[in-house]
Amino acid sequence: MAAIPVNFLTLFSFLALLFSSSHGQLSTNFYATTCPNLPTIVRGAMTQALNSDSRIAASFLRLFFHDCFVNGCDASILLDDTATFTGEKTAFPNRRTARGFEVVDAIKTQVEASCSGVVSCADILALATRDGVVLQGGQSWTVPLGRRDARTASLSAANSQLPGPASTLANLTSSFSAKGFNAAEMTALSGSHTIGQAGCESFRNRIYNQANIDPAFATTRRATCPSTSGTSDRNLAPLDVQTPIRFENTYFQNLVAQRGLLNSDQVLFNNGSQDALVRTYSQNNARFLADFAAAMVKMGNLSPASGTVTEIRRNCRMPN
């Protein structure tokens, strides 16, 4: 048999690595030998980021959710648009509201300095999201690792697959079911809104036109969100008015009191199928935190489709 040229073997090996059918089998000790300092680097960076910006934990939760729900947890949401490529950052659910990209960059820089070319942006996002929740009072969970980064993104999928603030319970149930989540898991994950803020344009209709809302709460929100669209559209209000930077079950207590900020929040407690679970979570913080952690592990297991081209990006904003 004729000898196979070395350069062909090198190319074949590279392509075999690049064309992964998915993340493969995720493992909790994936970087134990190749990047043992990874957990310490990420936790330290998130601690520093939160000291500067108390919203960053909520922003990472949103990035992680919006990434994983669109073609799996592949860091596609982190890709910048170019003259020849339009990614997910300008999709309607992300435009002007997705944030935290500079923090991802800072963590990636530190990780690359410690172990170059080893850790994916998708894994950094997964770890940082968990640490943000824990640093604001949530329950920890073990993050399986070994994800890889997509070389492309899907604007159309981001626009069509991510539920919005006006979603009904049926909309939410359908969206989460399409990703393999049952209604209880959907309700637990909605509890991420116990931290963070939302812009006036996302809750204007609720505070002016809906009846299933506490009148005093509506009056408070109207003070900074007038009834007509304009410069006030981006005025922010906390999703959980009592403890906007503390990860616990107050969000569900607010739903029971008809103080959900978004329509997609209040529909979870509105004489529907999730009322009993919402009431349980409102009374049992430990149950909520445990269910949320379990659902986050499941979300982190959402993988790109078989045959997706992936890599370990050197820069989270662009393919290698």
Side-chain angles (χ1 to χ4, degrees), residues 142-166:
T142 301
V143 180
L145 299 168
R147 298 168 188 81
R148 294 173 62 82
D149 302 323
R151 289 180 52 80
T152 188
S154 177
L155 177 70
S156 60
N159 277 323
S160 64
Q161 296 178 14
L162 292 168

Side-chain angles (χ1 to χ4, degrees), residues 246-265:
R246 186 72 182 168
F247 201 95
E248 27 76 302
N249 66 336
T250 312
Y251 165 81
F252 294 101
Q253 296 171 10
N254 286 333
L255 298 187
V256 173
Q258 294 191 319
R259 292 195 293 264
L261 183 63
L262 307 178
N263 184 75
S264 58
D265 293 324

Side-chain angles (χ1 to χ4, degrees), residues 33-155:
T33 57
T34 57
C35 195
N37 294 328
L38 176 63
T40 302
I41 294 170
V42 175
R43 177 62 66 94
M46 283 301 289
T47 300
Q48 183 177 6
L50 272 168
N51 287 338
S52 301
D53 179 2
S54 62
R55 294 175 58 199
I56 205 64
S59 296
F60 266 71
L61 264 173
R62 194 163 186 270
L63 282 180
F64 186 65
F65 166 55
H66 282 210
D67 180 42
C68 293
F69 253 51
V70 180
N71 300 327
C73 306
D74 60 1
S76 57
I77 195 173
L78 304 180
L79 290 170
D80 281 345
D81 290 357
T82 69
T84 58
F85 168 79
T86 302
E88 296 165 18
K89 286 184 176 180
T90 52
F92 184 76
N94 299 324
R95 187 172 61 243
R96 302 199 313 268
T97 58
R99 60 191 300 274
F101 300 109
E102 294 79 8
V103 177
V104 176
D105 295 339
I107 299 173
K108 179 65 170 175
T109 298
Q110 294 182 48
V111 171
E112 286 294 302
S114 179
C115 36
S116 179
V118 172
V119 181
S120 68
C121 299
D123 277 344
I124 288 173
L125 184 56
L127 281 171
T129 299
R130 188 274 311 274
D131 288 350
V133 169
V134 172
L135 288 167
Q136 291 198 315
Q139 176 177 310
S140 186
W141 62 89
T142 301
V143 180
L145 299 168
R147 298 168 188 81
R148 294 173 62 82
D149 302 323
R151 289 180 52 80
T152 188
S154 177
L155 177 70

Side-chain angles (χ1 to χ4, degrees), residues 159-225:
N159 277 323
S160 64
Q161 296 178 14
L162 292 168
S167 295
T168 65
L169 182 57
N171 294 151
L172 292 173
T173 302
S174 176
S175 294
F176 278 80
S177 177
K179 303 300 178 180
F181 294 91
N182 61 37
E185 291 165 332
M186 175 265 293
T187 299
L189 288 169
S190 296
S192 62
H193 284 185
T194 192
I195 57 175
Q197 302 186 53
C200 168
E201 63 183 340
S202 66
F203 59 83
R204 176 180 283 118
N205 181 65
R206 170 151 169 74
I207 63 174
Y208 284 99
N209 299 317
Q210 295 187 358
N212 60 340
I213 189 169
D214 173 62
F217 175 73
T219 298
T220 298
R221 294 280 65 89
R222 289 171 183 171
T224 56
C225 184

